[in-house]
Each structure stands twice: as C-alpha cells, then as structure tokens.
Amino acid sequence: MNDPLLKQSILRRTGRVSALGLGALGLLALSAGCATSQGPGAEAAPSGASPGAGAGAEPAQTNLLKASDFDDNKSLPWTTSFTAPGAGSAEVKNGAYCVTVTNKGSNNWDAQFRHREMVIQKGHSYTLQYKAWASSPTKARPKVGMAGPPYEEYWSDTVVLETSPKTYTGKFSMAKADDPTAELAFHIGGEMASAKEPFEVCIDDIRLDDPEFRSSAPAGDAAAAPKIAVNQVGYLPGAAKIASVSNEATAPLAWELLDASGKAVSRGQTRVFGKDGASGDHVHLIDFTAFNAPGQGYVLKVGDEKSFPFDIGAGIYQKLKYDALAYFYHNRSGIEIKMPYAGKPELARPAGHLQDKSTKCLQGSGCDYALDASRGWYDAGDHGKYVVNGGISVWTLLNWYERTKHLGASSADFADGKLSIPEGKNGVPDLLDEARWELEFLMGMQVPEGKPLAGMVHHKMHDESWTGLGLAPHEDKLARFLHKPSTAATLNVAATGAQCARIWKTVDAAFSARCLKAAERAWAAAKQNPALYAPPGGDKGGGPYDDTDAKDEFYWAAAELFVTTGKPEYKKFLQASPLNARFPTEVEGGAASMNWRVTDALGQISMAIVPGHVDAAWQKEIRGRIAKAADQYLAIADKEGYRTLIARTAEGKYDWGSNSGVLNNMLVVALAHDFTKQPKYLDGVVLGMDYLLGRNPLGQSYVTGYGDKPLENPHHRFWSHQANSKYPKAPPGAVSGGPNSSLQDPHVQSAGLKGCVAQRCFVDHIEAWSVNEITINWNAPFAWVTAFLDEKAKK
C-alpha cells in the first residue's frame, strides 16, 4: 500500500495508533470553578454600559468563541455549572443564551455558565464585548482564567445587569504562559447575586477577540459520517458481513466492494429495509457475507458514496481483547501505574488513594470503625468504588475464565504473562491476578466480627464531595468514607466470593478458603438482614447505586454458592425461588438479561457453564432458556436498520449506558453459540460488535483507539486531555456508555439534541457524562465478547 492516509487509517482501526484528541475543551459540570487570584499583568478595563450597542466590527476570525449569537438555537460550547446547593438550568431563548438560577448557592461560582474552547496566549491582547441582561437587577462576574486548579485568573470584572440589554466591554493582556484550556466564565451565584431566586441571566452577541488569533477552517463535511456504515475495524472470514446504508431510495441500489487498490472484488444489490425508528434514517442493507478473502483497506461503494475502509481477517480482535482488559489495570486504586505496563509514559501515575487502607465510616452511617478499603478498581469517570458495580464486573471477568476453561479453547491467551500487569510470571493466570485486585477490595468492605451487622458489606466508598476533571488519583486529597452496608452489596460478596473459592481452589488454596468464608458469612448476614437498601438519590461525591429488590441477588448468591459447594440448603433455596422458572429477558423495562441492579441471570449462567453439582437435566434446561433469550435478541436485530441487539423503550428511547445493554445481550448470544454451535448466534455477536465499532447512524466507533472515527474524549478524571492538556488521552480499548435519550448533563443539553432520535443522542465530549462515561461494568462484557470473537476467528 502506497497511500499513507490509508495506512494510517488501517493502523487506527487495528489499535496500533492511539486515538487523536479533538483539542482541549471542557471540564465536568459538577466541578466547582472557584477563583483564587488575578494573574500579574492583567489589565482590567472599566466596564462600559451603553444601551443597544452592537457587538463590534472586528473580523470574525479574531473571535475565540465558537458560539456568539445563538441564532442557530444551539449554545455549545457554552454550558452551565451548578455546585450544590447551587441549581438551575439553561436554554436558548429568542436567539440569546439564558440561564435560570433556582438556587444561587453560597459562593459566587456555585452558579455559573462558561465557554471552554479557546487558547489564551502569552503576549496577546484581548477584548471582551457582550450584551447582557437579567430578569431583575443582579450582579455578574465575568472572568477569563484557568479551567481547573488553581483557577488562576487573567482578567475579571463585576457588572450590574439590568432588565434591558446593555453592552459591556473589557480588555486585558496575557502575561502568563500560554493556557490551551482557558475558560470564559460568568459567576452569577452566592452573595454577589442580588436578585431573588428564581432569576434569569441572558447573554448575546458575545465576542472574545484576539487580533493575533486566526481560527482554523471549519471541518465541514469532513467530519460527517459516511452514508455507508461499517464495522471500522473489520469483519471475520466465515461470519456475517453486513453494512447499513442511509439512503432515501425505495428500490435496491447497486453496491461494490473495492479492495485497497480500488478494484471491485464483489458486487450486489442492497436490500431495502425502510424507515428505521431508532435512527430516523431510511436504511438499505448490504450483505457481503459470501466474500471472505483476507485483506486490508476494503471499501464499500454505493453510487458516489463510500464507506470508511475496513479489514477482513481472523486477527482483527486479537489486540483489542487485551486493550479492553488493560482498562482494569489502568483504573486500579492503591498501586502505581508504571511502565512498561502502562503502555505509554504519559499514562503512568503514582499510586492513588493510599489512605483507603484506613477508611472511616461516614458520619451517621452507624459504625465507628475503619476498614482497609484499598485496592479495587475505580468505578467510572470518578474515583469512587462501589461494591454492587464491582460485583458484576469481577463476575464477568471470572465468568470468562470459567467459560473458556469449560467450553472454550483460548485459556492460554489469558495465562501467566499474557497481560501487561505487574503480576506477570507469578505462576497464576493473569486474568485471575487482575480479578483478585477487585476481590480484595470487595472482601475488605465486609463488617468485622463483633461489630453491628457483622458479615454485612458496606455499599460503597468515595470522596466526601465531587471532584473536577483534570485530576489524577494521587492528586485527590478529599476525605473518603464508607457508606452504610446494604443487602445487595452483601450478596454481591456472597456471590463473587463463592465464584472465587471454586476458581482459586487449585491456584491458591488459602485465598480460596478466605473467599468461601467471606461468602458464607455474607450469605448468613444477608438472610438476617434481607431488606437493608442503599438510599436513592445522588450522594454528594458519589452515585447512589440504589436497589430496593434483593430477590435477584439472593438467587445469584445461592447459585454461586451451590455451584461451589453443592450444599442442599442452596439448592433448596434456588428451587423454591420464582426466579428459577425462567431466564430473564426484560430488565427495568428493557430487553436485557442483566445489569448491576438485576443479577439473577448471572447465577443461571454459572450453573449453565460449570460442571459438577448442577445435574445434567437442570443444566440442559438452563442452557435451553439462554438460547431462547438469544433468539429474542436476534429477533430485535432483525427489526433494526443498524442491526443492533437492543430495542428502544416503550417511549422510543435509549437509556443511560445503552451500549452496555448491547454488550450484555451479546454475551447471552455468545453463550447460546457455545451451547448449540449454531452459526446464527455467532453472527449475532458479530452484529453487536459491528454496531459498537461504527455500523451506526453516527458512524461512531464507541471504542477509544479503534476505527476511523474512534471515541476520543470519554468522561474520566485522569484521561482528561480535552479538559486539561497536562493529562493524557485515554488508552485504546475503553468503551463508551453510548446514546442516552434522557440527556442528563449540561453539555448534551446545550448541544441541540433535545428531542433526538434514540441512536443520535450522543456526543463525544468529556463533559457529556450522561452519554460518554466509561465504567468497569461496561468494559468487562466488552472484554468478554471481544475475546469470544477472537477465539471463534481462530477455529
């Protein structure tokens, strides 16, 4: 291949080049943007106020702001930030950006709005000009400065906003070093705000001009997704090869498959699918399954439209499965992340949260002791650690180990020395070493003997308040606390402890015995306290992970304990449970079998895989149920223009973490293939992976480092280069939560996505935490199904 762009594309699709960042942008909406000092050399000009003045006549290319007049009904990259108790919302009204404050909080910055897509350069002079008004007279404090700690300011002013629009100006020169992630913010909260809540502040015709600045040319259609959506990594020989085409034609269209030289190597006609409700597109399907010749740089062509290039080959997922598993090492708590295991020097960091070795109980949580809550994986974009999310995550990795041992052929791929972790060459399979890091944390959260609720497990531990983006774990100095025990957390330890006990029995007998003791203590404690639930609603500094029904966790724990011990009491409990009569295919209103809150399917999966105490007839029955569930997910894909394995809710929506629903359904379909060997199930797993890696209406690969349009900016405290250039970009192999119709964060609310069709409710931005967070319980099934496809490709 002589085309360097095509070579780079192929390298990116196979993960051999890490994803490029989109520039330095925003910070988490929950972070508090407090100011500390005005930078030396900043020349603050008095504010002028003149009714009805224009926005100036400076050349457009000198304006640093990406949104100035809001005439397109969009406000990005302007977003709000409310720090509790501050609260409010924003919308574009009549061509102006208006922020409603319902609680102004106690600090000026508790209510603010800001713009973070700009560079402030040393030696440059700046002019700020804007039109502003309020529903009742109140003060506002505009400032230009750092977007993160120590929040140094380069210019600030205080103005009095009146009820009619007036134009305000300010000037300053930058004496500090270049700041590639600066912000322009308006603080409108605290004691400074003289208006009574609720009140509204509006801006329009706002400019921040730098005569030496020249904006780059807009990306235009170059960033648009091709009309032909493909798996941007590639396709497996011998498996389904489907592409989706957005085209309004009602008759079939001719398609060609071109090789890297541009030669047509296959041809056919599209099949008209029609209107697709999940995307809003009129869709055609291209089925080129019959073409199996390995190669790189294939392109599908329909008329003048071309797809992104892709490969066909048996090794397309070989590296990706390891990158997906590396996610867990990178997110370990309490250990230095170092080279060569980190992969790149910028991803290395000192050990975080060493203070977790002695974590005290939160005031009012009913305990007076401290526990060793060290180790474990950081749950998601923040630094919290949650037992109920850690439980399903570690179960998934251990389930892959057991599935591979009893049904698969790739155990050697996860043996000692195969993963890039410090425990390599210790005589233990690396997959188990990684899982043990989390198991140690889970068992450390158990209430000690002699204490109230002994044997129960604390639900979670996290910081006393939310932290902002651009924060490495070792830089987080906030106090961290244990929260109350819960029945759900206790049963998570009962289940995973039992799973651990049977797996480690021949690997480390002492650890196995410790796991079983913790599991049986947890089971007994949960039976005595069957309805201790985590409170709903967001805690300050962490998510609730609330659950008011523990019947499924009881079933899961009993199943794991029975598979491990064969004790009649666990079998009796299972057979008496109404959950034993079916394999679930609906979870919280969606077509799914499990998530962190609903876990009885996990127990049935273990019983379907592990030989021994589950008799053959019972195991066969469960396997049949799993295959029937898989059939339901395949039927969903048949009704989807982009052939994914999840359906919209009754309201036509996708929920938070929709990609995790795809992944967990893929896991069920994969098991059906293991049990039946029917090719349709393998093809179903392929369809799910195709969707995640680009065969979707956005042409978006939801995985960092993979594809021509890879995920670039997941919501994560440390992998926060977009928010602060001193921090690294995310490594390859992290999967985004994906489209979410509810649009809970200020960034997506400002992106003009209101009323979006389900599969289009997404933006790749670090502040877009409701659509673009990454978590352990999403990457775990992603590693599982990627490893499954890589194993099947080698047969």
Side-chain angles (χ1 to χ4, degrees):
M1 256 180 308
N2 296 319
D3 186 340
L5 294 178
L6 182 57
K7 287 181 179 178
Q8 184 184 31
S9 169
I10 291 170
L11 289 173
R12 286 169 65 84
R13 283 181 283 113
T14 55
R16 294 192 291 273
V17 174
S18 62
L20 300 176
L22 291 177
L25 305 176
L27 194 83
L28 172 64
L30 294 171
S31 64
C34 56
T36 55
S37 62
Q38 182 171 312
E43 301 171 5
S47 293
S50 54
E58 309 229 348
Q61 67 265 29
T62 68
N63 186 9
L64 274 65
L65 305 181
K66 301 289 180 65
S68 293
D69 59 20
F70 313 106
D71 290 342
D72 61 357
N73 207 39
K74 298 179 182 179
S75 56
L76 281 183
W78 289 96
T79 60
T80 58
S81 174
F82 293 98
T83 303
S89 60
E91 63 178 318
V92 176
K93 298 169 62 175
N94 301 317
Y97 182 60
C98 295
V99 179
T100 298
V101 177
T102 55
N103 187 325
K104 59 189 177 183
S106 55
N107 301 301
N108 295 348
W109 53 83
D110 286 350
Q112 61 173 291
F113 56 95
R114 61 210 184 182
H115 181 300
R116 288 183 161 177
E117 292 190 12
M118 57 188 187
V119 180
I120 301 297
Q121 295 176 272
K122 183 176 182 179
H124 289 209
S125 296
Y126 298 86
T127 300
L128 175 66
Q129 188 165 326
Y130 60 97
K131 189 185 298 182
W133 62 98
S135 57
S136 58
T138 189
K139 290 181 180 179
R141 186 174 184 273
K143 64 104 176 179
V144 177
M146 293 181 177
Y151 299 105
E152 185 174 8
E153 296 183 1
Y154 313 130
W155 170 86
S156 67
D157 194 11
T158 300
V159 298
V160 178
L161 304 181
E162 300 181 12
T163 56
S164 59
K166 292 187 178 182
T167 296
Y168 302 84
T169 61
K171 295 183 178 180
F172 69 98
S173 295
M174 179 65 166
K176 293 285 188 177
D178 290 2
D179 184 344
T181 55
E183 70 172 6
L184 165 60
F186 285 77
H187 294 171
I188 54 175
E191 295 180 357
M192 178 189 65
S194 52
K196 183 179 179 181
E197 306 109 316
F199 64 90
E200 182 180 74
V201 171
C202 298
I203 60 166
D204 197 6
D205 297 335
I206 182 166
R207 305 178 59 86
L208 181 60
D209 284 296
D210 173 4
E212 299 180 65
F213 170 76
R214 294 295 181 270
S215 65
S216 57
D221 291 339
K227 296 292 186 181
I228 306 172
V230 298
N231 181 326
Q232 295 165 24
V233 170
Y235 294 86
L236 297 174
K241 301 176 189 67
I242 306 294
S244 297
V245 183
S246 176
N247 192 294
E248 293 297 326
T250 57
L253 302 169
W255 61 263
E256 292 182 317
L257 177 65
L258 310 179
D259 66 14
S261 70
K263 177 185 176 183
V265 293
S266 185
R267 293 182 174 87
Q269 294 282 312
T270 64
R271 179 168 73 84
V272 181
F273 174 86
K275 190 70 172 181
D276 176 49
S279 66
D281 294 346
H282 187 271
V283 176
H284 291 233
L285 297 172
I286 296 174
D287 187 340
F288 59 110
T289 301
F291 187 86
N292 290 310
Q296 295 180 320
Y298 287 109
V299 170
L300 281 168
K301 184 174 184 292
V302 176
D304 294 331
E305 295 286 344
K306 289 184 177 181
S307 71
F308 282 130
F310 56 86
D311 300 344
I312 296 176
I316 59 174
Y317 297 122
Q318 185 171 359
K319 185 176 185 298
L320 179 52
K321 69 181 181 185
Y322 291 125
D323 285 340
L325 285 169
Y327 179 96
F328 296 93
Y329 171 69
H330 282 290
N331 285 284
R332 286 189 189 184
S333 172
I335 187 174
E336 179 186 3
I337 305 303
K338 59 185 179 181
M339 292 295 290
Y341 315 111
K344 291 184 177 181
E346 59 266 30
L347 292 168
R349 58 172 174 80
H353 300 103
L354 294 176
Q355 70 270 31
D356 288 358
K357 287 182 177 294
S358 181
T359 307
K360 296 180 180 179
C361 295
L362 183 70
Q363 186 174 5
S365 61
C367 65
D368 59 357
Y369 47 81
L371 292 181
D372 181 355
S374 61
R375 303 195 181 191
W377 304 313
Y378 298 120
D379 177 71
D382 62 296
H383 295 142
K385 294 186 288 190
Y386 306 83
V387 171
V388 295
N389 213 36
I392 190 173
S393 303
V394 77
W395 176 90
T396 303
L397 297 191
L398 292 178
N399 177 262
W400 173 252
Y401 178 86
E402 289 196 294
R403 174 263 165 208
T404 306
K405 176 181 177 181
H406 299 299
L407 301 172
S410 58
S411 292
D413 289 355
F414 308 95
D416 191 28
K418 288 294 186 177
L419 304 186
S420 184
I421 58 175
E423 296 85 358
K425 306 301 182 183
N426 67 350
V428 175
D430 284 350
L431 190 60
L432 298 187
D433 284 324
E434 189 57 69
R436 182 167 179 167
W437 196 262
E438 178 70 9
L439 286 165
E440 294 277 8
F441 160 71
L442 295 178
M443 291 189 292
M445 294 286 279
Q446 194 164 31
V447 177
E449 293 289 357
K451 299 293 183 180
L453 300 176
M456 294 292 285
V457 175
H458 288 270
H459 194 72
K460 60 179 183 173
M461 64 89 62
H462 55 67
D463 290 344
E464 62 183 337
S465 61
W466 289 108
T467 57
L469 295 177
L471 185 73
H474 68 282
E475 297 170 334
D476 180 5
K477 304 303 181 184
L478 291 180
R480 292 158 70 78
F481 296 101
L482 299 171
H483 289 246
K484 291 181 179 180
S486 73
T487 304
T490 303
L491 291 166
N492 268 255
V493 168
T496 57
Q499 191 185 27
C500 161
R502 64 177 178 264
I503 290 173
W504 264 269
K505 188 172 183 180
T506 58
V507 176
D508 183 335
F511 185 60
S512 170
R514 181 180 154 208
C515 285
L516 185 58
K517 181 179 179 180
E520 295 197 309
R521 282 187 66 227
W523 174 261
K527 291 290 292 294
Q528 292 178 348
N529 302 277
L532 287 184
Y533 302 131
D539 289 311
K540 189 178 181 182
Y545 282 101
D546 54 307
D547 187 357
T548 57
D549 182 357
K551 290 191 294 293
D552 52 298
E553 282 88 2
F554 270 110
Y555 184 93
W556 174 30
E560 300 294 350
L561 283 161
F562 177 62
V563 171
T564 299
T565 68
K567 290 182 178 179
E569 64 180 281
Y570 302 124
K571 182 176 183 179
K572 182 179 178 181
F573 183 94
L574 292 169
Q575 293 182 334
S577 171
L579 301 181
N580 195 51
R582 89 288 181 268
F583 186 81
T585 55
E586 182 178 326
V587 170
E588 299 180 323
S593 295
M594 64 270 200
N595 62 17
W596 64 264
R597 187 184 272 120
V598 183
T599 57
D600 51 299
L602 310 185
Q604 291 201 43
I605 289 172
S606 289
M607 290 194 290
I609 289 175
V610 182
H613 297 300
V614 181
D615 64 70
W618 193 6
Q619 190 172 74
K620 182 179 179 181
E621 181 182 357
I622 295 173
R623 289 183 175 188
R625 292 175 188 168
I626 291 173
K628 287 182 179 179
D631 288 335
Q632 293 188 41
Y633 301 142
L634 296 186
I636 289 172
D638 284 342
K639 298 176 183 178
E640 296 287 321
Y642 287 89
R643 287 305 194 251
T644 192
L645 300 178
I646 57 167
R648 290 169 293 154
T649 65
E651 296 77 27
K653 296 181 177 182
Y654 274 7
D655 291 328
W656 187 312
S658 61
N659 284 346
S660 71
V662 177
L663 287 162
N664 285 330
N665 289 355
M666 289 167 68
L667 190 155
V668 172
V669 175
L671 288 171
H673 184 267
D674 282 335
F675 301 150
T676 70
K677 310 304 180 188
Q678 293 185 41
K680 67 177 182 178
Y681 297 121
L682 173 60
D683 289 344
V685 182
V686 167
L687 292 177
M689 188 64 78
D690 291 346
Y691 171 82
L692 296 172
L693 291 174
R695 192 177 41 68
N696 55 64
L698 302 178
Q700 175 72 59
S701 168
Y702 290 109
V703 180
T704 55
Y706 285 83
D708 291 273
K709 189 181 177 183
L711 185 73
E712 300 272 10
N713 302 297
H715 176 73
H716 194 269
R717 293 297 190 280
F718 180 53
W719 300 333
S720 54
H721 187 81
Q722 189 181 33
N724 188 325
S725 59
K726 86 172 191 178
Y727 293 97
K729 302 169 186 175
V735 64
S736 168
N740 170 16
S741 302
S742 297
L743 305 175
Q744 288 98 331
D745 67 79
H747 187 88
V748 292
Q749 292 166 6
S750 301
L753 293 179
K754 186 177 181 179
C756 53
V757 180
Q759 290 182 356
R760 296 185 179 276
C761 297
F762 177 81
V763 61
D764 182 8
H765 195 283
I766 194 169
E767 288 194 54
W769 41 265
S770 66
V771 299
N772 207 27
E773 193 162 22
I774 48 180
T775 79
I776 53 175
N777 66 307
W778 301 343
N779 245 74
F782 181 60
W784 197 111
V785 297
T786 306
F788 172 86
L789 287 174
D790 187 57
E791 178 187 284
K792 296 303 179 183
K794 295 176 180 177
K795 287 191 174 182

